[in-house]
Amino acid sequence: MMLNKVLVVDDSALIHQMYHLVLARYRCQVLDASNGLEALDILARQYDVQLVLLDINMPVMNGVQFLEKASALGITERVPVVIVSTEGREADTVQGLKLGGSGYLTKPFTPSQLHEVIVKVLAAGGTGHEAAEVTALER
């Protein structure tokens, strides 16, 4: 599956720049949101987003709140969400996976780790806990 459009949800401008550099290998469009509320707004207008890379700790609406709302709206059924959380915040990651996250990545991460998670999530069909378990077990 080709990756055409990715939504990055993070409150750090530096992290957004890093994602743009790493995702350039896919030649995909990268959309940026600085919190969960902005992400929901983008997803309401952009039905062709194929992947969401979601930070957990953000102002306005954090990643867990985003997943609660996205799950209730059926977004996590159509768009895989990779949770990107800081080391030591395993409870947030577990809660995010229960709410519909398709996989996770722990910060800090390397470009190859990001690529590996993207490949696994997309290969597993992108949604559902099968993908989350594959990613979680191999970390």
Side-chain angles (χ1 to χ4, degrees), residues 84-97:
V84 185
S85 66
T86 309
E87 248 178 314
R89 301 294 303 239
E90 287 78 16
D92 290 338
T93 302
V94 169
Q95 186 178 4
L97 292 172

Side-chain angles (χ1 to χ4, degrees), residues 70-88:
S71 181
L73 294 170
I75 292 170
T76 55
E77 294 296 317
R78 67 177 171 90
V79 183
V81 177
V82 173
I83 300 160
V84 185
S85 66
T86 309
E87 248 178 314

Side-chain angles (χ1 to χ4, degrees), residues 1-36:
M1 176 180 188
M2 261 187 77
L3 194 57
N4 296 315
K5 193 178 284 189
V6 177
L7 174 59
V8 172
V9 189
D10 200 296
D11 60 329
S12 165
L14 190 62
I15 294 291
H16 280 277
Q17 289 176 341
M18 188 270 312
Y19 276 123
H20 278 266
L21 286 171
V22 174
L23 293 171
R25 77 186 289 178
Y26 295 97
R27 293 188 172 98
C28 62
Q29 182 181 0
V30 180
L31 305 174
D32 298 296
S34 61
N35 61 62

Side-chain angles (χ1 to χ4, degrees), residues 30-113:
V30 180
L31 305 174
D32 298 296
S34 61
N35 61 62
L37 199 56
E38 284 181 20
L40 288 172
D41 184 50
I42 290 169
L43 289 166
R45 293 180 282 117
Q46 303 269 342
Y47 287 101
D48 56 346
V49 170
Q50 294 170 286
L51 180 69
V52 175
L53 298 172
L54 177 71
D55 185 26
I56 292 291
N57 299 311
M58 297 176 289
V60 184
M61 180 185 281
N62 68 34
V64 171
Q65 293 166 325
F66 165 83
L67 279 166
E68 287 171 348
K69 194 81 164 156
S71 181
L73 294 170
I75 292 170
T76 55
E77 294 296 317
R78 67 177 171 90
V79 183
V81 177
V82 173
I83 300 160
V84 185
S85 66
T86 309
E87 248 178 314
R89 301 294 303 239
E90 287 78 16
D92 290 338
T93 302
V94 169
Q95 186 178 4
L97 292 172
K98 286 180 182 172
L99 290 169
S102 299
Y104 76 92
L105 193 57
T106 304
K107 288 181 188 176
F109 57 84
T110 65
S112 62
Q113 288 170 318

Side-chain angles (χ1 to χ4, degrees), residues 103-125:
Y104 76 92
L105 193 57
T106 304
K107 288 181 188 176
F109 57 84
T110 65
S112 62
Q113 288 170 318
L114 175 61
H115 174 69
E116 186 181 325
V117 167
I118 289 172
V119 168
K120 285 180 183 170
V121 167
L122 295 179

